[in-house]
């Protein structure tokens, strides 16, 4: 019998948190699940924990593969998933006991391809709720879906996904990149028929220094412009409306500005080099024409980087460009 939900859990050296993660899944109030644990080449005792849990609960399937990264671990799980819906749970996180029940009820009542819920962050034992900007709703318009995703964190673990929707549209995670959730979730928002939201915090996201998200943070951010370039390439094929593209452009512009200021030294120079090779002409035009939607200091940053591509650059923008070059040169000398 086909399970209603396939829970995909990528596992890599998370023995300290794995039991809490698996317990939160197996003890759900909604029990019609399969749990696909993809051991991505763990070198700690995570495989032993998986084996122990699989012996006690027949709903668990373990797949062992050499270390290929989070994207490929998720892709492996998606290929074998039998459920009507897919839920991604990172193995150092855990979920509320009623997540699956509330999410499947919403899916059945709305017919949505994507069901989004709220979440908590767990940082050194401190729990913080991250509420959605919207109330319980169903979005059918392209612009509404895209805006909802980019304004509320595009991590894939905060959605229940309809399996047939993912497979029909050949959605998968790009291997070998960081921020793999970005192109996946945004393309899904463009392609979905409906996006539904649940105003309840149902996922517990653990912030830890040794997580994939935080390890080598600088090198991760350096590649963000390249990730957005991949996204833009795919979006040109999908041809979303100009309104959707503007929403995505603005989100990308703001996130890359934020990422640059998280970097230091030579990492900033590498980021700028990637940035210069990533922007399509349409985004240059968007920056020139949309004076109100982009904050002044963000726009000035891009003017300083792309000054030669803008017409009628004012003296203050030339001044900012000079200051940015001086800052990069100073950082280079200090390395």
């Amino acid at each position: 019998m086909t399970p209603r939900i396939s829970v995909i859990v990528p596992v890599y050296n998370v023995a300290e948190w794995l039991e809490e993660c698996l317990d939160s899944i197996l003890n759900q109030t909604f029990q019609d699940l399969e749990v696909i644990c993809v051991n991505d080449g763990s070198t700690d005792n995570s495989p032993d924990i998986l084996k122990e849990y699989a012996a006690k609960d027949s709903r668990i399937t373990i797949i062992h593969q050499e270390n290929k990264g989070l994207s490929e671990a998720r892709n492996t799980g998606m290929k074998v998933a039998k459920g009507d819906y897919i839920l991604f749970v990172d193995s150092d996180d855990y979920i509320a006991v009623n997540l699956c029940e509330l999410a499947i009820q919403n899916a059945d009542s709305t017919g949505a391809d994507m069901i989004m819920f709220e979440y908590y962050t767990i940082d050194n034992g401190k729990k913080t709720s991250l509420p959605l900007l919207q109330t319980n709703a169903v979005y059918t318009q392209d612009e509404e879906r895209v805006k909802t995703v980019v304004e509320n964190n595009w991590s894939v673990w905060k959605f229940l996904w309809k399996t047939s929707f993912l497979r029909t549209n050949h959605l998968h995670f790009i291997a070998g990149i960081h921020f793999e959730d970005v192109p996946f979730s945004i393309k899904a928002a463009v392609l979905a028929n409906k996006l539904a939201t649940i105003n309840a915090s149902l996922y517990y996201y653990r912030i830890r220094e040794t997580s994939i998200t935080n390890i080598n943070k600088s090198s991760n951010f350096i590649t963000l412009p390249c990730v957005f370039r991949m996204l833009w390439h795919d979006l040109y094929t999908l041809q979303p409306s100009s309104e959707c593209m503007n929403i995505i452009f603005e989100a990308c512009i703001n996130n890359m500005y934020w990422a640059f200021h998280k970097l230091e030294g030579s990492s900033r120079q590498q980021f700028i080099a990637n940035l210069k090779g990533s922007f399509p002409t349409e985004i240059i035009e968007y920056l020139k024409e949309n004076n109100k939607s982009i904050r002044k200091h963000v726009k000035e940053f891009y003017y300083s980087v792309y000054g030669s591509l803008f017409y009628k650059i004012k003296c203050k923008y030339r001044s900012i460009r000079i200051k940015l070059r001086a800052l990069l040169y100073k950082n280079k000398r200090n390395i």
Side-chain angles (χ1 to χ4, degrees):
M1 186 174 178
T2 302
R4 293 302 312 280
I5 301 176
S6 296
V7 184
I8 297 175
V9 186
V11 178
Y12 179 70
N13 290 351
V14 287
E16 182 178 349
W17 304 279
L18 184 54
E19 292 185 6
E20 183 177 27
C21 174
L22 294 175
D23 286 340
S24 73
I25 297 168
L26 298 174
N27 294 327
Q28 289 288 297
T29 55
F30 182 84
Q31 289 283 296
D32 191 7
L33 315 170
E34 67 169 349
V35 185
I36 303 169
C37 298
V38 182
N39 173 38
D40 191 45
S42 296
T43 57
D44 65 357
N45 66 327
S46 294
D48 296 330
I49 296 173
L50 293 177
K51 184 177 180 180
E52 177 186 344
Y53 271 75
K56 296 186 294 185
D57 197 315
S58 61
R59 292 176 296 171
I60 296 178
T61 298
I62 306 173
I63 300 174
H64 297 282
Q65 65 181 33
E66 64 182 28
N67 181 246
K68 298 179 180 180
L70 181 59
S71 291
E72 287 288 37
R74 287 172 173 168
N75 288 337
T76 296
M78 290 170 64
K79 289 176 185 177
V80 301
K82 300 182 182 69
D84 299 323
Y85 292 86
I86 287 175
L87 177 70
F88 297 102
V89 180
D90 288 352
S91 49
D92 53 350
D93 300 334
Y94 60 99
I95 61 177
V97 68
N98 59 341
L99 186 158
C100 292
E101 180 180 4
L102 293 180
I104 203 70
Q105 287 175 354
N106 187 287
D108 288 341
S109 64
T110 64
D113 291 327
M114 307 166 62
I115 295 89
M116 175 188 282
F117 38 82
E118 299 172 348
Y119 68 103
Y120 291 100
T121 60
I122 309 294
D123 189 2
N124 291 323
K126 181 181 179 181
K127 184 170 68 174
T128 304
S129 177
L130 278 297
L132 295 172
L133 299 180
Q134 295 82 6
T135 55
N136 288 336
V138 178
Y139 299 100
T140 58
Q141 298 297 315
D142 294 356
E143 296 81 7
E144 293 177 337
R145 295 194 307 272
V146 170
K147 185 177 182 181
T148 301
V149 169
V150 301
E151 287 184 347
N152 289 285
N153 182 338
W154 36 46
S155 298
V156 297
W157 41 255
K158 63 177 301 181
F159 298 90
L160 182 72
W161 304 89
K162 184 178 288 187
T163 307
S164 59
F165 161 70
L166 297 180
R167 288 177 174 162
T168 298
N169 291 287
H170 308 289
L171 287 167
H172 65 281
F173 297 94
I174 302 171
I177 66 170
H178 298 288
F179 307 105
E180 65 285 330
D181 294 26
V182 174
F184 188 99
S185 296
I186 291 181
K187 286 191 292 184
V190 171
L191 292 164
N193 69 333
K194 295 178 185 177
L195 164 66
T197 60
I198 302 174
N199 288 108
S201 294
L202 302 174
Y203 191 99
Y204 294 81
Y205 171 70
R206 195 186 309 275
I207 299 173
R208 58 186 180 91
E209 289 302 316
T210 56
S211 70
I212 293 174
T213 303
N214 288 318
I215 271 180
N216 298 322
K217 181 176 287 188
S218 293
S219 62
N220 293 356
F221 287 136
I222 288 171
T223 61
L224 187 58
C226 303
V227 173
F228 284 132
R229 182 170 63 230
M230 296 176 191
L231 170 62
W232 293 325
H233 178 271
D234 290 344
L235 289 175
Y236 291 141
T237 302
L238 299 177
Q239 296 185 329
S241 67
S242 58
E243 290 82 2
C244 281
M245 288 300 286
N246 285 344
I247 293 169
I248 297 167
F249 285 162
E250 184 169 340
C252 293
I253 286 166
N254 288 327
N255 274 273
M256 286 193 290
Y257 170 83
W258 169 82
F260 173 81
H261 288 86
K262 291 287 184 179
L263 298 171
E264 297 178 354
S266 62
S267 296
R268 286 191 166 190
Q269 294 173 311
Q270 295 176 49
F271 183 91
I272 291 295
N274 288 336
L275 191 58
K276 286 183 175 180
S278 298
F279 265 33
T281 305
E282 289 83 353
I283 288 194
I284 302 298
E285 294 299 320
Y286 181 79
L287 281 166
K288 288 193 296 187
E289 295 172 3
N290 290 268
N291 294 316
K292 295 181 179 179
S293 60
I294 302 294
R295 293 182 179 180
K296 181 180 177 181
H297 62 277
V298 176
K299 179 172 284 193
E300 288 177 350
F301 165 75
Y302 286 100
Y303 278 1
S304 68
V305 174
Y306 286 98
S308 61
L309 298 178
F310 291 90
Y311 56 82
K312 297 181 181 179
I313 303 298
K314 297 182 180 180
C315 291
K316 64 177 179 179
Y317 297 134
R318 292 197 183 101
S319 170
I320 293 164
R321 187 164 68 254
I322 292 170
K323 290 178 180 178
L324 178 61
R325 287 176 178 171
L327 174 62
L328 293 175
Y329 179 72
K330 180 180 179 181
N331 286 333
K332 181 177 180 181
R333 287 179 61 87
N334 289 336
I335 294 172

